[in-house]
Amino acid sequence: MTALLLIVRLAGERVAFPAEDVESVVELEGLTPIPRAAGHVAGLAALRSRVLTAIDCLSALELGSSAVTGPRDAIVVEMDGYPYALLVDSVEDVLEYSGEVRPVRTALDAGWRRVAKGVVDVEGDLLLLVDTGALLGGPTAVAA
C-alpha cells in the first residue's frame, strides 16, 4: 500500500491518520458549547462560512477531556456529508507510506483499541493508524 499519512500528536502520542480522510488542518478558536450533546462533542466552530462539530479526541478516547481553552490545532474531516474538526495536541507532518498495515501486538486502553486500524512503520517509528470514523463515534459507538 502506498499512501499519504497525516502525523499528529493525540493524547501525547504520535499517531497517523489516512491523509485521504483529511480535508484540511486548521487552528480553531472560540468553540460554542452544545447543550445535551454527547460527552466527546466539544462544541461548534465556524470555519470559512461552515459550521463544524468539534470533537474532543481525548474524551472520544475515554482519556478525560481537553483542558486547553485557547486556540487549538484541529484536522477537518467530512463523514456522511457533515464536517467535523478533530481537536488534536499538534499536527506534525504529512509523510508518504509504502507498506502494510500490521495488527497491533500490544495491549491498548479501550479507547485506543476501538479506534486502531493497526500500526504502520513510518521512518522507523511504529505509529498507530487511527480509524477516523471510530474516533468520531466516540465511546458510545461501541454500544450501538
Side-chain angles (χ1 to χ4, degrees), residues 67-118:
V68 179
T69 57
R72 295 290 312 267
D73 283 346
I75 58 176
V76 177
V77 300
E78 189 171 305
M79 187 71 59
D80 298 326
Y82 296 99
Y84 295 90
L86 301 174
L87 303 177
V88 297
D89 299 347
S90 63
V91 176
E92 291 190 7
D93 206 351
V94 174
L95 299 173
E96 188 171 14
Y97 173 73
S98 140
E100 296 299 317
V101 177
R102 299 186 301 202
V104 177
R105 299 198 188 276
T106 187
L108 296 173
D109 290 338
W112 284 115
R113 192 171 48 251
R114 184 177 43 76
V115 303
K117 281 186 168 181

Side-chain angles (χ1 to χ4, degrees), residues 20-106:
E20 65 193 23
D21 290 355
V22 178
E23 261 186 39
S24 60
V25 174
V26 297
E27 187 176 87
L28 291 181
E29 290 188 47
L31 296 178
T32 302
I34 307 169
R36 293 185 284 206
H40 67 290
V41 176
L44 297 175
L47 178 69
R48 296 187 285 270
S49 301
R50 288 186 355 178
V51 176
L52 306 174
T53 302
I55 302 297
D56 181 344
C57 290
L58 282 181
S59 182
L61 291 169
E62 302 174 73
L63 298 173
S65 58
S66 296
V68 179
T69 57
R72 295 290 312 267
D73 283 346
I75 58 176
V76 177
V77 300
E78 189 171 305
M79 187 71 59
D80 298 326
Y82 296 99
Y84 295 90
L86 301 174
L87 303 177
V88 297
D89 299 347
S90 63
V91 176
E92 291 190 7
D93 206 351
V94 174
L95 299 173
E96 188 171 14
Y97 173 73
S98 140
E100 296 299 317
V101 177
R102 299 186 301 202
V104 177
R105 299 198 188 276
T106 187

